[in-house]
């Protein structure tokens, strides 16, 4: 008899099959003497749509709400039904004695496999493989200590409760809002608090009043010193008269009171998890969260160069340390050859800064695999993401950056002035970045760090910059330096920056500042569970908010739309707060530990849903389309709405059941020949033309001719391929469990 192993992804299945000695390969499974290894493709089974619970739910009507199924139905996802049928066929093979669940070690991974088994009607014994990495050693050790499937029943119950509660609340609230206000309105436990964070940030920006602040800089002895308040140490004051008074009363000499030289070290930033990678790729290259994830998936599944992308950990497990040299050799190509080869010849210690079993839950950090890289086979986008991951991997394994920090303190009269700079002793890990290293900050808040700077006579030097040795003159305590100039500096405080996709992803991961009540238990729970959504679903949530026209992009900034703002005014208040997620996660955690009943939780969710529907039904709020045009829908004749989609402007029918949409302009990468800004492509067919905000207009045919004359490859084929890609991205489905449950909602 044989054991059937069900993995979550084909790539993981191949790794397991290789370790288990399975060599007979087919399109849907790999077989050996003792094992058959097959796989899911993420979820193959999901909760049924409302229409499958009765004829009355095929039309959207407030009178049929709330929908509360007594017996939940599971359906096979149509797009992956072929793989489901293949897995089911293996389950019922007569020579299969039992099932080994080898999906991801976590709540959702458990759900992927259990729903397949439940839908297929499996009656065979179930065992569980529980590993946090897919190295050969981890797989062998895991199969040597398989645990009974019953040990994970509570985890499965928690996963089912999460899925069913999201279905009940999300679908009922969405239908209620849509029916009540005759508009395409959707809400959910994750997407609505995310939208509320964007609105809160915009309100903060709108109410922000800039305050002027002042400081002083003194040029003395070839060094630029910055004034520091004696009491607070701050380099700024909001009192102009005070700053002017200091300037006027200051003497002509600066007496050095302290010269500090201290050797310091800085260590490499941590390895990437998906959120930090998405955030940095957005800041560096303008990639959306979804685009970064898609590129990572190709590097993981197609090229097999990087490890599993959907991870929330920035650490490795101890069992991986032995594989690091092999990974270094695999990525020793092109610009990484010298550094990777050097590191592979040294002894590697599992330092706690990047190896920590306790900080790895389902998956370890993103690092290169043992697959040798052929850089020429990667696209430009793939090269950029691969480059980020490999350089971070090399940096973490490199020694610390050592530098000497030099701090000078002096007095002009009774006022303190300081200068600080750094002189590099050994660049260490910074050599990996070849002078291109820059910190990516979460928000663009103004801070004292922007103001307090050290300088040499050639110009101001930020205290955070890395300098070569010997930039400050050799001075000693007690020296008197003549003051050549004492100037008043001024600036204004800045408002917080608008969210970008990168900073929004970071805010979703840590939404505590947007909670109304800072309950310590809820704050801790949000921290432990990773905030709003998961690393696997956040990109889809952001895409859904764009596709629903609840938010829009202006350049790289995210702005809430009028529709989004009105939705927040109509949605019940607790659906807008991250606290709801924290409360649910506390309960779900208790279910997974066997401390609470899944049925009790769902009864309370049903009661909560009833109260939501009642609140929406009795609300006296109003919704108004303020983007109505005079263009009539060619299908139903109703006036259409003009919306800013993620990739350009669109006309969308106001009738939810009609669902007609038409693109009227698309943002492109084509540059204006006058001002060099990116242009929009408007019109249809032969009348298509590029339009720039500066007023420049150019027919598509003229643009192509000009590019051909300039020797740049923007021919008809290139433009056609680009437009096809844009259209495909604009219409691509949202691939998440909650979105699948809402797939019949025509947005």
């Amino acid at each position: 008899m044989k054991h059937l192993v069900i993995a979550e992804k084909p790539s993981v299945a191949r790794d397991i099959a290789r370790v288990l000695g399975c060599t007979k390969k087919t399109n849907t499974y790999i077989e050996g003497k003792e094992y058959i290894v097959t796989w899911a493709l993420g979820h193959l089974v999901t909760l049924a749509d409302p229409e499958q619970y009765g004829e009355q739910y095929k039309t959207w009507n407030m009178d049929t709400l709330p929908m509360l199924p007594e017996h939940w139905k599971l359906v096979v996802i149509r797009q992956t039904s072929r793989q489901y049928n293949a897995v089911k066929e293996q389950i019922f093979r007569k020579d299969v004695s039992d099932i080994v669940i080898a999906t991801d070690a976590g709540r959702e991974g458990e759900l992927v496999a259990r729903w397949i088994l439940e839908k297929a009607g499996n009656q065979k014994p179930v065992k569980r493989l529980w590993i946090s990495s897919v190295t050969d050693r981890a797989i062998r050790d895991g199969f040597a200590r398989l645990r009974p499937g019953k040990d994970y029943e509570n985890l499965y119950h928690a996963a089912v409760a999460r899925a069913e509660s999201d279905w009940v609340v999300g679908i009922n609230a969405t239908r209620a809002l849509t029916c009540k206000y005759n508009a395409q309105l959707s809400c959910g436990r994750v997407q609505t608090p995310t939208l509320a964070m964007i609105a809160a940030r915009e309100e903060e920006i709108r109410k922000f009043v800039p305050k002027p602040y002042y400081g002083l800089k003194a040029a003395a002895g070839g060094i630029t010193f910055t004034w520091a308040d004696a009491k607070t140490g701050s380099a700024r004051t909001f009192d102009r008269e005070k700053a002017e008074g200091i300037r006027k009363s200051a003497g002509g000499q600066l007496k050095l009171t302290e010269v500090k030289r201290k050797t310091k070290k800085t260590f490499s930033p941590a390895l990437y998890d998906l959120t930090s990678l998405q955030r940095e790729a957005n800041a560096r290259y303008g990639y959306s969260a979804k685009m970064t994830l898609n590129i990572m998936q190709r590097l993981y599944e197609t090229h097999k160069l990087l490890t599993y992308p959907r991870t929330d950990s920035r650490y490795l497990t101890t069992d991986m340390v032995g594989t690091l040299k092999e990974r270094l050799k695999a990525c020793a190509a092109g610009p990484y050859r010298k550094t990777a080869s050097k590191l592979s010849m040294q002894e590697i210690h599992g330092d706690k800064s990047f190896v920590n079993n306790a900080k790895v839950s389902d998956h370890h950090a993103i690092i290169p695999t043992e697959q040798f890289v052929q850089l020429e086979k990667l696209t430009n986008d793939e090269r950029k993401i691969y480059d980020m991951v490999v350089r971070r991997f090399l940096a973490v394994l490199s020694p610390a950056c050592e530098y000497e920090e030099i701090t000078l303190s002096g007095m002009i009269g009774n006022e303190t002035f300081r200068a600080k700079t750094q002189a590099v002793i050994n660049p260490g890990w910074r050599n990996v970045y070849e002078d291109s290293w820059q910190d990516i900050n979460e928000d663009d808040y103004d801070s004292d760090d922007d103001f307090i700077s050290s300088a040499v006579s050639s110009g101001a030097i930020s205290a955070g910059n890395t300098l070569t040795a010997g930039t400050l003159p050799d001075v000693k305590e007690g020296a008197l330096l003549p003051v050549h100039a004492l100037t008043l500096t001024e600036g204004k405080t800045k408002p917080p920056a608008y969210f970008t996709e990168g900073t929004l992803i970071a805010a979703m991961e840590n939404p505590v500042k947007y909670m109304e009540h800072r309950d310590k238990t809820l704050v801790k729970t949000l921290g432990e569970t990773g905030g709003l959504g998961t690393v696997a679903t956040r990109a889809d949530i952001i895409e859904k908010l764009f596709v629903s026209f609840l938010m829009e992009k202006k350049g790289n900034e995210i702005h809430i739309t009028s529709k989004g703002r009105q939705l927040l005014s109509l949605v019940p208040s607790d659906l807008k707060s991250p606290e709801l997620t924290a409360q649910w996660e506390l309960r779900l955690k208790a279910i997974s530990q066997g401390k609470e009943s899944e049925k009790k939780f769902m009864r309370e969710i049903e009661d909560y849903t009833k109260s939501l529907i009642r609140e929406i039904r009795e609300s006296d709020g109003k919704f108004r389309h303020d983007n109505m045009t005079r263009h009539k829908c060619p299908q139903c004749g109703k006036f259409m709405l003009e919306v800013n989609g993620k990739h350009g402007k669109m006309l969308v029918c106001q009738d939810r059941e009609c669902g007609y949409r038409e693109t009227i302009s698309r943002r492109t990468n084509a540059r204006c020949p006058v001002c060099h800004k990116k242009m929009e492509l408007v019109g249809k067919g032969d009348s298509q033309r590029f339009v720039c905000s500066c007023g420049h207009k150019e027919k598509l045919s003229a643009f192509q001719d000009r590019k051909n004359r300039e020797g740049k490859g923007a021919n008809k084929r290139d433009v056609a391929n680009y437009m096809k890609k844009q259209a495909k991205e604009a219409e691509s489905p949202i691939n998440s469990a909650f979105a699948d449950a809402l797939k019949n909602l025509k947005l």
Side-chain angles (χ1 to χ4, degrees), residues 97 140 186 458 634 743:
S97 61
R140 280 194 294 269
S186 65
S458 58
K743 62 187 175 184

Side-chain angles (χ1 to χ4, degrees), residues 678-692:
K678 291 182 180 180
M679 299 188 291
E680 287 192 343
L681 186 63
V682 302
K684 297 179 182 179
D686 294 337
S687 63
Q688 290 183 92
R689 66 188 188 280
F690 285 101
V691 176
C692 180

Side-chain angles (χ1 to χ4, degrees), residues 117-237:
L117 296 176
E118 184 175 333
K119 181 64 178 174
N122 173 63
Q123 297 296 322
K124 295 178 179 179
V126 175
K127 295 179 181 178
R128 187 54 156 111
L129 174 73
W130 194 268
I131 55 177
S132 58
S133 63
V134 288
T135 61
D136 290 6
R137 178 180 173 181
I139 293 169
R140 280 194 294 269
D141 290 349
F143 272 91
R145 46 182 171 79
L146 291 174
R147 298 176 64 179
K150 286 186 178 179
D151 290 359
Y152 298 90
E153 287 287 338
N154 289 328
L155 185 66
Y156 170 50
H157 293 321
V160 170
R162 197 280 309 155
E164 291 177 355
S165 56
D166 272 341
W167 192 102
V168 169
V169 173
I171 287 182
N172 276 293
T174 293
R175 284 203 172 195
L177 287 167
T178 300
C179 293
K180 170 80 174 180
Y181 300 106
N182 192 28
Q184 300 171 23
L185 302 175
S186 65
C187 63
R189 175 175 62 98
V190 176
Q191 70 177 54
T192 309
T194 301
L195 189 66
M197 289 196 301
I198 297 165
R201 173 60 60 85
E202 288 199 13
E203 184 67 11
E204 197 177 347
I205 294 169
R206 190 183 67 81
K207 289 182 176 178
F208 184 84
V209 178
K211 289 179 66 178
Y213 59 82
Y214 309 92
L216 291 161
K217 286 193 179 294
I223 306 169
T224 300
F225 290 83
T226 301
W227 170 78
D229 187 279
K231 291 182 179 178
T232 65
S234 174
R236 66 171 64 170
T237 176

Side-chain angles (χ1 to χ4, degrees), residues 49 130 294 314 431 474 541 679:
D49 292 322
W130 194 268
N294 288 341
R314 305 187 73 172
N431 270 334
D474 187 14
I541 292 296
M679 299 188 291

Side-chain angles (χ1 to χ4, degrees), residues 426-446:
N426 177 15
W429 62 268
R430 285 180 179 262
N431 270 334
V432 173
Y433 287 94
E434 300 169 349
D435 298 325
S436 65
W437 170 254
Q438 64 180 103
D439 290 306
I440 303 296
N441 297 316
E442 180 177 337
D443 286 311
D444 187 25
Y445 282 102
D446 189 57

